[in-house]
Amino acid sequence: MPKRFSTARGREFGTGLRAAITSAGLTSRAAADIVDWDEAKVSDVVNGKGGATQLEVAVLLGVCRVNADEIVHLLSLYGETHIRGWWQQHGTCSPIRLRTVIEHLKVAKTLISWHTHMVPVFVQTADYMREVLRASSTAPADELAERVQAQLAMQEMVRRNVKCTVFIHELALHLRVGGAEVHAGQLLHLMFMANRPNIRIRIVPAAHGAHAGLAGPFTQLTFAKYESLVWVETENSSLLAEARDAIDGYATVVRALEAQSLNEADSTALITRLYEALHPGRDLAATAEAPSTEPFPPPA
């Protein structure tokens, strides 16, 4: 079945409008009656087919008693739902919740994440995550706990239903994030994650030298109904790449990382050696016999 044409902007607009109608306690038919539309017109607008002016959409949102900020946001999207690619500028730092990314994680089928210098967020422990945020020069200290909770919630979205491949450069495993126990705990967590049926962990060895992922971290998402996209996160912005040639370019990088990384067994063996170097003499087999029942750590 061919993927339905839509864009990240269009999906966010449609999700926001559906939520507005539902929050108002209305059905599509009831909302249509109030603003004197055909129900089919509401469906067309929600599904990105147009058919209404921006003023008409504003009236519908007003009827649903949507707050002013959300009205401004949704109206700004309505005229741009056809545009592929979305550079979201966040100001000083990224928001606590990355709305667009979260909505796409909810419906993702596969996830491929690559990072050059730290463990990707999808397989971080809460302690590691906390130390990364604490080291940030832009994330407000008083938001630290809330940001950890938001990132753990992102993990929750993909932990069972999404097929994940995580590429990590070996140097990221040597970087001491937090104290020795946080570092060792993250390595142990990666070993547990590697045993999950829906998670593959592949390490790009430092001995390889220059590699295809030098341009930087990214996360590729695919969907059952929509075409894939790539999320690139920076200090204070998010890029959602959707153009076919851009997606093809990232797919080429993924294939190269597959070829340049250790296989899953060798990747796990490398992580194990690094862990044992931190804890010589510790009975790793006994430790691994009783892993957490949860794929990711529970919120602290």
Side-chain angles (χ1 to χ4, degrees):
M1 188 178 201
K3 303 292 180 73
R4 181 161 66 86
F5 171 77
S6 67
T7 66
R9 286 180 174 87
R11 292 190 290 273
E12 185 158 319
F13 172 80
T15 298
L17 184 53
R18 286 188 199 93
I21 293 171
T22 301
S23 296
L26 299 172
T27 63
S28 294
R29 176 173 293 179
D33 288 342
I34 293 172
V35 294
D36 197 26
W37 291 10
D38 292 331
E39 186 178 0
K41 183 172 179 176
V42 175
S43 177
D44 285 347
V45 172
V46 166
N47 290 310
K49 297 179 181 179
T53 67
Q54 193 170 54
L55 177 59
E56 288 177 315
V57 174
V59 170
L60 177 57
L61 293 170
V63 164
C64 295
R65 300 195 175 188
V66 177
N67 68 61
D69 288 343
E70 181 69 352
I71 288 177
V72 170
H73 176 64
L74 293 179
L75 289 180
S76 71
L77 295 179
Y78 183 62
E80 300 179 346
T81 56
H82 63 289
I83 299 176
R84 290 181 181 269
W86 193 359
W87 180 33
Q88 300 179 338
Q89 301 179 69
H90 303 309
T92 302
C93 64
S94 295
I96 294 172
R97 295 180 72 259
L98 292 166
R99 172 174 176 169
T100 309
V101 173
I102 288 170
E103 291 301 321
H104 284 83
L105 288 175
K106 288 178 181 177
V107 295
K109 183 174 72 172
T110 69
L111 176 151
I112 298 174
S113 192
W114 154 248
H115 215 296
T116 52
H117 54 271
M118 73 175 183
V119 173
V121 67
F122 302 103
V123 288
Q124 290 178 7
T125 65
D127 288 337
Y128 185 101
M129 195 180 290
R130 192 175 294 110
E131 294 301 326
V132 169
L133 289 167
R134 187 173 284 128
S136 170
S137 61
T138 60
D142 60 356
E143 293 179 357
L144 189 148
E146 194 174 357
R147 286 177 178 272
V148 169
Q149 293 295 325
Q151 291 185 3
L152 289 173
M154 287 173 60
Q155 291 183 347
E156 187 77 18
M157 291 170 196
V158 302
R159 68 179 191 170
R160 288 194 178 95
N161 299 322
V162 180
K163 187 175 181 180
C164 303
T165 299
V166 179
F167 291 102
I168 311 171
H169 196 276
E170 181 185 351
L171 294 181
L173 304 180
H174 291 278
L175 181 67
R176 184 69 64 88
V177 174
E181 289 303 314
V182 173
H183 187 192
Q186 179 61 67
L187 293 173
L188 186 62
H189 185 66
L190 289 175
M191 285 185 270
F192 291 154
M193 292 297 95
N195 288 322
R196 300 287 172 179
N198 65 317
I199 295 177
R200 301 167 63 234
I201 293 180
R202 303 283 299 271
I203 306 302
V204 176
H208 194 286
H211 54 81
L214 285 174
F218 63 88
T219 296
Q220 181 189 64
L221 299 173
T222 68
F223 311 93
K225 297 180 179 179
Y226 313 120
E227 295 179 0
S228 61
L229 62 76
V230 170
W231 167 41
V232 180
E233 184 179 23
T234 72
E235 184 70 35
N236 55 9
S237 68
S238 297
L239 171 65
L240 298 171
E242 300 179 90
R244 179 60 62 84
D245 54 354
I247 299 302
D248 289 346
Y250 278 105
T252 301
V253 174
V254 169
R255 288 193 294 272
L257 290 174
E258 285 273 4
Q260 296 167 352
S261 61
L262 301 175
N263 63 34
E264 292 169 65
D266 289 344
S267 294
T268 302
L270 173 58
I271 297 168
T272 302
R273 289 196 299 273
L274 293 174
Y275 176 82
E276 290 175 338
L278 291 174
H279 289 291
R282 177 171 291 189
D283 188 350
L284 182 58
T287 303
E289 284 174 2
S292 167
T293 57
E294 292 297 321
F296 297 98

